[in-house]
């Protein structure tokens, strides 16, 4: 018994580590190419539905109900449906997001609320781009990158 347990342990230790797949939240993100966020915001189309790519740099620290997607210095707040799904508060890294892109005006009260949920210091602007997402897919961060 002990011998078979030891053999199993050795086999497990010597097997190659499999790369983790993407973490998925909400609905499935459609396969295929994604529009880099910076490209989508270079000539934004109100109500554009699609798959957008970038890097998650911040997450709501109260519930994980929004993330900030960044690409080449351009950002959009990604709302996770109407609080239909959530992400871990520490999630970061390359991501693909499926949803609808809009530019919205924010009241002082909303800006204060958003700033209070963020990990970043600073004011929230009066206008921001938002993606109302149906699904988010976060790739494993490459520590060598």
């Amino acid at each position: 018994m002990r011998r078979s347990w030891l053999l199993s342990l050795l086999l497990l230790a010597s097997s190659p580590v499999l790369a983790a797949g993407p973490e998925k939240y909400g609905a499935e993100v459609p396969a295929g190419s994604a529009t880099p966020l910076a490209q989508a915001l270079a000539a934004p189309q109100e109500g554009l539905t699609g798959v957008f790519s970038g890097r998650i740099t911040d997450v709501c620290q109260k519930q994980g109900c929004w993330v900030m997607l960044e690409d080449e210095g351009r950002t959009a707040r990604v709302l996770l449906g109407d609080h239909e799904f959530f992400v871990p508060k520490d999630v970061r890294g390359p991501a693909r997001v499926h949803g609808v892109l809009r530019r919205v005006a924010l009241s002082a009260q909303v800006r204060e609320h958003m700033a209070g949920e963020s990990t970043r210091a600073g004011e929230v602007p009066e206008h921001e781009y938002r993606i109302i997402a149906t699904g988010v897919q976060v790739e494993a961060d490459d520590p060598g990158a």
Side-chain angles (χ1 to χ4, degrees), residues 114-145:
M114 292 298 183
E117 293 179 340
S118 178
T119 60
R120 295 180 168 204
E123 292 186 25
V124 175
E126 291 184 14
H127 292 85
E128 71 179 11
Y129 286 99
R130 284 192 174 173
I131 299 171
I132 308 300
T134 58
V136 174
Q137 179 177 307
V138 183
E139 299 294 332
D141 217 354
D142 181 3

Side-chain angles (χ1 to χ4, degrees), residues 80-94:
L80 307 178
D82 186 20
H83 289 84
E84 294 162 359
F85 61 100
F86 302 93
V87 300
K89 296 173 188 174
D90 63 347
V91 73
R92 302 288 187 280

Side-chain angles (χ1 to χ4, degrees), residues 2 7 14 21 26 28-29 36 39 42 51 56 62 80-81 83 91 94 97 115 120 130 132 138:
R2 183 172 186 210
L7 182 59
S14 65
E28 190 74 27
V29 174
Q39 181 181 329
V51 178
I56 293 177
K62 293 202 178 188
L80 307 178
H83 289 84
V91 73
V97 173
R120 295 180 168 204
R130 284 192 174 173
I132 308 300
V138 183

Side-chain angles (χ1 to χ4, degrees), residues 55-76:
R55 181 172 195 77
I56 293 177
T57 59
D58 195 10
V59 179
C60 169
Q61 293 300 294
K62 293 202 178 188
Q63 292 184 349
C65 61
W66 57 259
V67 302
M68 290 301 291
L69 190 67
E70 185 272 332
D71 180 47
E72 295 182 13
R74 304 295 304 265
T75 61

